[in-house]
């Protein structure tokens, strides 16, 4: 069942003239009498769980916090000490974050990664951020995974390397570079095309 426009106007009328606190109280009372579908129609989708962790509504095992971000232990870890680092402000993915905020987030990720080496005696770490469902992002909030790696762990992060023609590589590199604002593209950041060398294969992740 959905709310009719008349019903919505009636609810609005009930909230009119109340103080913000009274409005909240009245709204909760009204919401309690509605179906989940009607609730969503009235106040939108349920709040993002990661935003609820930031506000303390959902309890977490916090390992780090600063003015901009927070890191917790993943409740379904890939390995012991698997951490989730996310901005306090809601972004749907890391790619939507302004560069300065993403910079702070990655700096915090590096701190956590270093801590994993020291505190957990990790043999390595993976720092993984997925942008979008296709990239494996399941959370509705931007986040970075910091996954400590141990000898004989069962973590799998990988891909099958493909061959791309040198000319196409050149086009891809130039297309990417053209989308980066010119004032930021200093000489040293310009793409260097390197020939594929199978001997370097062992240097790839994981
Ligand atoms: Zn959120």
């Amino acid at each position: 069942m959905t709310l009719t426009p008349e019903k919505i106007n009636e609810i609005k009328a009930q909230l009119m003239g109340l103080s913000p606190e009274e409005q909240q109280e009245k709204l909760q009372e009204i919401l309690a009498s509605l179906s989940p579908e009607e609730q969503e129609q009235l106040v939108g989708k349920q709040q993002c769980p990661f935003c609820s962790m930031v506000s303390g509504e959902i309890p977490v095992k916090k390992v780090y916090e600063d003015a901009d971000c927070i890191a917790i232990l993943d409740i379904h870890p890939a390995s012991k000490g698997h951490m989730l680092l996310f901005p306090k402000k809601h972004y749907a993915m890391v790619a939507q974050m302004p560069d300065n905020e993403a910079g702070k987030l990655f700096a915090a990720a590096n701190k956590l990664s270093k801590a994993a080496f020291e505190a957990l005696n990790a043999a390595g770490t993976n720092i993984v951020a997925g942008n979008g469902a296709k990239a494996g992002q399941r959370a509705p909030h931007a986040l970075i995974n910091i996954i400590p790696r141990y000898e004989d762990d069962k973590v799998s992060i990988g891909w099958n390397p493909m061959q791309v023609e040198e000319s196409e590589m050149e086009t891809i590199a130039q297309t990417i570079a053209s989308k980066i604002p010119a004032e930021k593209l200093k000489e040293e950041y310009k793409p260097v095309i390197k020939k594929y060398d199978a001997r370097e294969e062992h240097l790839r992740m994981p």
Side-chain angles (χ1 to χ4, degrees):
M1 229 180 84
T2 53
L3 298 170
T4 60
E6 291 76 25
K7 178 71 183 165
I8 292 175
N9 282 335
E10 190 192 312
I11 292 171
K12 282 181 181 166
Q14 282 182 276
L15 299 173
M16 212 101 80
L18 301 176
S19 72
E21 292 76 20
E22 289 169 336
Q23 264 185 3
Q24 265 306 313
E25 207 180 314
K26 187 72 193 167
L27 182 61
Q28 292 309 321
E29 190 185 304
I30 293 167
L31 286 173
S33 69
L34 301 177
S35 70
E37 195 187 345
E38 291 168 333
Q39 289 175 359
E40 193 179 303
Q41 195 189 347
L42 200 62
V43 294
K45 282 205 179 303
Q46 281 294 301
Q47 208 199 354
C48 163
F50 290 86
C51 289
S52 299
M53 291 177 205
V54 171
S55 64
E57 290 159 66
I58 297 179
V60 291
K61 291 261 183 296
K62 198 188 294 179
V63 295
Y64 175 79
E65 181 172 8
D66 63 26
D68 306 293
C69 59
I70 181 170
I72 63 169
L73 287 184
D74 191 326
I75 53 168
H76 299 298
S79 69
K80 284 180 185 174
H82 180 172
M83 294 169 267
L84 302 178
L85 169 69
F86 47 97
K88 289 183 172 177
K89 197 170 156 191
H90 183 89
Y91 292 102
M93 58 174 83
V94 175
Q96 290 183 347
M97 297 179 72
D99 287 349
N100 63 330
E101 291 180 40
K104 288 177 188 169
L105 194 67
F106 278 93
N110 205 32
K111 280 191 221 294
L112 295 163
S113 162
K114 288 176 188 171
F117 277 104
E118 290 186 27
L120 304 172
N121 215 11
T125 66
N126 285 110
I127 297 176
V128 185
N131 281 303
K134 180 68 188 168
Q137 186 189 356
R138 286 186 296 274
H141 190 113
L143 66 80
I144 297 179
N145 293 269
I146 295 99
I147 306 171
R149 302 300 304 267
Y150 307 99
E151 299 299 337
D152 304 321
D153 67 29
K154 299 286 186 284
V155 180
S156 156
I157 300 165
W159 54 85
N160 298 317
M162 62 186 289
Q163 290 282 4
V164 180
E165 287 295 323
E166 181 116 4
S167 60
E168 195 183 352
M169 290 283 268
E170 179 82 42
T171 309
I172 292 169
Q174 283 174 8
T175 310
I176 293 170
S178 73
K179 294 294 175 193
I180 300 169
E183 69 272 19
K184 289 182 188 162
L185 192 67
K186 293 181 184 162
E187 197 59 42
E188 64 263 35
Y189 297 151
K190 283 198 180 148
V192 177
I193 313 290
K194 199 163 169 292
K195 217 170 152 40
Y196 174 78
D197 185 346
R199 287 168 303 179
E200 292 176 16
E201 196 51 48
H202 69 284
L203 295 175
R204 280 171 181 264
M205 281 173 69

